[in-house]
Amino acid sequence: MTETQGTATAAGEAATVETVMNYSSEDGGPIGYYFYEPEVRENFRPAGQDRRSVLVEDAWPQADRLSADVEGFEIHPFEGGFDAFENDETVRAAFYPQAVDFVKRHTGARQVVVFDHTLRRKRSQDIRTQTEVQRPVVFLAHCDFTPRSGPQRVRDIMGGEADALLARRVAFYNVWKPLYDPVEEFPLGLCDARSVPDEDFLVMHLKYRDRDGEIYTLRHSPGHRWRYFPGMAPDQALLLKTYDSETDGRARFMGHSAFDDPNSPPDRKPRQSIEIRTMAFF
């Protein structure tokens, strides 16, 4: 397969594109990254070094049937009309409540807490050059949390309430949407949770000056089923599940990554998007 070759399936089936996803390998020791310069450094390997050609399917024909509890993602209209994304305080004051309402309506959660947001644009990929909110598009097959880091995040954010909240179901959802224009470059690829067995999730250690964290990266498997929503508009939003405490068979983690869409127009507008990270309590 070539890196940027567009393809189409038989009539009546969803179109696909062919691209490259950055997977990780467990060969050679633990995967990790430092967000600061330590005096003593563990010998971590970088994530995303296993580049694999994959097919990514147009998910629009199935949009009404997708579920965050099954595939790990779903898409819905988002018509709040907010467009002041350059002002962080306004985002927190006016857009966060819209995101909370969106998550509650589509999950049935009794309480939803936003704990941060990120604006994505094409920038330097060196994590150390990023600001707290402005970050580059991420070209890495990953999921934001693990069975250890999910509950720890609840403890970090909710303090004394955490133990009572963790005694019931907790799930983390990202609300992901374009800022001002339809997505014409580097759309978000979504890996159907049913196609990723537990052994394909590899822990990546994140070392901060004041704490340790971890996320999942994905090990390649030809059984992974990737999908995306080409041309997604600003009045639409994805609901992505990145952690679920339930172990009853529903989706718990969903791998995702930006990718180079070979069908992007030559005069494409640069991708600008926001993701709101929330924890939902049931």
Side-chain angles (χ1 to χ4, degrees), residues 186-204:
F186 308 136
L188 191 64
L190 310 159
C191 196
D192 189 324
R194 298 170 300 176
S195 71
V196 186
D198 290 347
E199 57 266 26
D200 287 349
F201 287 109
L202 306 177
V203 172
M204 178 180 180

Side-chain angles (χ1 to χ4, degrees), residues 36-49:
Y36 69 104
E37 293 297 333
E39 293 183 5
V40 179
R41 177 184 291 270
E42 293 187 52
N43 189 25
F44 287 136
R45 294 182 301 109
Q49 302 301 303

Side-chain angles (χ1 to χ4, degrees), residues 126-239:
D126 186 344
I127 299 177
R128 289 163 296 190
T129 69
Q130 302 167 22
T131 68
E132 182 178 353
V133 173
Q134 301 273 356
R135 296 185 181 178
V137 177
V138 176
F139 298 95
L140 173 68
H142 73 286
C143 182
D144 298 1
F145 291 94
T146 71
R148 187 189 74 84
S149 62
Q152 184 59 52
R153 194 63 171 150
V154 175
R155 295 185 181 97
D156 293 341
I157 299 298
M158 304 306 292
E161 300 178 65
D163 287 343
L165 293 169
L166 289 168
R168 299 184 295 270
R169 181 189 173 209
V170 180
F172 289 11
Y173 298 95
N174 289 0
V175 179
W176 189 101
K177 68 181 294 296
L179 297 188
Y180 311 111
D181 303 297
V183 175
E184 294 183 344
E185 74 164 2
F186 308 136
L188 191 64
L190 310 159
C191 196
D192 189 324
R194 298 170 300 176
S195 71
V196 186
D198 290 347
E199 57 266 26
D200 287 349
F201 287 109
L202 306 177
V203 172
M204 178 180 180
H205 302 275
L206 304 179
K207 296 289 187 177
Y208 303 89
R209 191 174 297 278
D210 59 345
R211 65 184 177 90
D212 292 344
E214 63 183 37
I215 65 172
Y216 273 141
T217 59
L218 267 63
R219 172 173 54 190
H220 175 260
S221 168
H224 293 170
R225 185 178 185 187
W226 287 92
R227 302 188 218 182
Y228 80 123
F229 292 91
M232 187 175 163
D235 61 354
Q236 299 162 327
L238 285 164
L239 184 70

Side-chain angles (χ1 to χ4, degrees), residues 49-167:
Q49 302 301 303
D50 187 14
R51 293 168 54 79
R52 300 290 187 123
S53 295
V54 300
L55 296 178
V56 187
E57 180 183 339
D58 181 349
W60 283 117
Q62 305 154 4
D64 292 341
R65 302 189 297 274
L66 296 169
S67 167
D69 278 343
V70 179
E71 292 85 2
F73 60 92
E74 52 194 75
I75 191 167
H76 300 283
F78 196 107
E79 300 173 346
F82 183 88
D83 63 359
F85 292 105
E86 307 309 318
N87 187 310
D88 290 342
E89 290 305 315
T90 304
V91 169
R92 293 183 174 92
F95 190 68
Y96 276 19
Q98 294 181 13
V100 166
D101 178 68
F102 181 82
V103 175
K104 283 185 174 180
R105 281 189 289 113
H106 295 297
T107 68
R110 63 176 180 82
Q111 180 184 2
V112 174
V113 175
V114 177
F115 58 92
D116 69 19
H117 74 277
T118 300
L119 298 176
R120 299 282 186 194
R121 296 180 171 96
K122 189 175 182 182
R123 295 172 181 266
S124 167
Q125 293 298 309
D126 186 344
I127 299 177
R128 289 163 296 190
T129 69
Q130 302 167 22
T131 68
E132 182 178 353
V133 173
Q134 301 273 356
R135 296 185 181 178
V137 177
V138 176
F139 298 95
L140 173 68
H142 73 286
C143 182
D144 298 1
F145 291 94
T146 71
R148 187 189 74 84
S149 62
Q152 184 59 52
R153 194 63 171 150
V154 175
R155 295 185 181 97
D156 293 341
I157 299 298
M158 304 306 292
E161 300 178 65
D163 287 343
L165 293 169
L166 289 168

